[in-house]
Amino acid sequence: MKLKTVDEIKDLRGKKVLLRLDLNIPLDSEIGDEYRLERSLKTLNYLKEKGAKVVIISHIGADGERSLSSVTEYLKIPIFDLKINGDLKRKIDEMLSGEVIMLENLRKDEGEKKNDDNFAKELSSLCEVFVNEAFSASHREHASIVGIPKFLPSYFGFLFQEEVKNLSEVFDPGHPFIFVLGGAKLETKLPLIEKFLGVADEIFIGGATANSILKNLGQEVGSSLAEKIDFDIKKIVNDPKIVLPEDFITKNISTILTKKIN
């Protein structure tokens, strides 16, 4: 899959670039997952070195209540309210080449999750080009993912390109091939499970995804993160390729796969 990548953008010096990062990381008073943040820095540093004026946008949390201020403290850059107005546009115009700012949590505006064209157009009006480096959020039809490319020339970051390359190789793997799936939000994982049932030799399911399945099968999962689902999960779990945790500790919200990999 050939993507238009950030290194194909011409004449970056002084160009205003809207950079969508995935900064939905654990936050208390400090950064809880530096790995995801650090992996995004290659594209950000490239844009800075080329002299672009970079405006970072991202989300954190589901409801827009949380702030990205801890991230900006970590990156040592200023953060601005999510108010698309003349003052913000003047600030961006006055930025120096290589300067970086961030806007507050995109989900503070309901237009983000609604994929509102007006919100996407307002965001687009801030810059001249868009770079998507939020691979893990790009399955969502949100304004900052699918709306902005309607209004700006759009490219992908280095990490996004790497993720697509690695994922593409999985669709034609060598065998034996075991697919390990975790995370939360079972609903978003179902297409992957259905896809790889026809590709993988076995599918190991863990994490909150496994909790949700087990809970809906009547298994006690304690206070572990689990979702209520409204479809017949047995259609999936009865497949002999599916391997669920057989032994787990509910107190610590941890799961242990006990089936050995041959």
Side-chain angles (χ1 to χ4, degrees), residues 28-247:
D28 290 316
S29 58
E30 298 180 351
I31 301 294
D33 181 7
E34 293 183 9
Y35 178 73
R36 181 181 293 186
L37 182 55
E38 292 290 342
R39 292 196 75 198
S40 299
L41 295 185
K42 182 177 180 180
T43 293
L44 177 58
N45 288 336
Y46 174 83
L47 290 168
K48 289 172 60 179
E49 290 166 5
K50 293 295 182 179
K53 301 178 180 181
V54 185
V55 179
I56 299 174
I57 55 174
S58 188
H59 80 281
I60 186 165
D63 54 12
E65 294 297 319
R66 301 174 70 183
S67 172
L68 286 163
S69 58
S70 293
V71 179
T72 57
E73 289 173 12
Y74 180 87
L75 294 174
K76 296 180 173 58
I77 59 174
I79 187 168
F80 292 87
D81 289 338
L82 194 64
K83 295 179 180 179
I84 316 301
N85 54 30
D87 288 341
L88 179 59
K89 291 179 180 180
R90 278 191 293 275
K91 168 59 186 174
I92 295 171
D93 285 340
E94 293 168 0
M95 289 170 64
L96 302 175
S97 295
E99 190 175 350
V100 182
I101 67 170
M102 185 183 294
L103 302 188
E104 255 295 5
N105 186 356
L106 287 167
R107 292 189 178 177
K108 290 184 178 294
D109 192 302
E110 62 181 13
E112 166 66 355
K113 293 177 73 172
K114 290 182 177 180
N115 190 20
D116 182 76
D117 270 357
N118 288 329
F119 182 56
K121 192 172 184 178
E122 285 183 346
L123 288 170
S124 301
S125 70
L126 299 174
C127 293
E128 301 163 87
V129 66
F130 174 60
V131 176
N132 186 350
E133 186 65 302
F135 177 82
S136 63
S138 290
H139 60 290
R140 298 190 176 102
E141 291 188 29
H142 289 178
S144 67
I145 300 295
V146 299
I148 293 173
K150 297 177 184 178
F151 305 104
L152 284 179
S154 299
Y155 299 82
F156 294 94
F158 297 120
L159 176 58
F160 199 112
Q161 182 183 33
E162 179 185 336
E163 295 280 13
V164 170
K165 178 180 179 295
N166 292 336
L167 187 60
S168 298
E169 293 173 357
V170 172
F171 289 116
D172 187 22
H175 289 270
F177 171 53
I178 295 174
F179 183 51
V180 181
L181 183 65
K185 299 181 182 177
L186 173 60
E187 185 178 356
T188 66
K189 306 299 188 297
L190 287 175
L192 286 173
I193 295 172
E194 293 170 352
K195 168 71 178 179
F196 283 98
L197 278 173
V199 179
D201 296 290
E202 289 184 310
I203 299 178
F204 281 23
I205 302 178
T209 299
N211 295 339
S212 297
I213 293 174
L214 292 168
K215 182 176 182 178
N216 284 274
L217 291 174
Q219 173 67 53
E220 176 59 50
V221 298
S223 59
S224 300
L225 178 63
E227 302 171 82
K228 183 178 180 181
I229 52 180
D230 57 2
F231 53 85
D232 186 6
I233 196 64
K234 292 181 180 179
K235 293 179 181 179
I236 291 176
V237 299
N238 285 341
D239 192 291
K241 291 185 177 182
I242 297 292
V243 181
L244 289 166
E246 298 174 0
D247 203 5

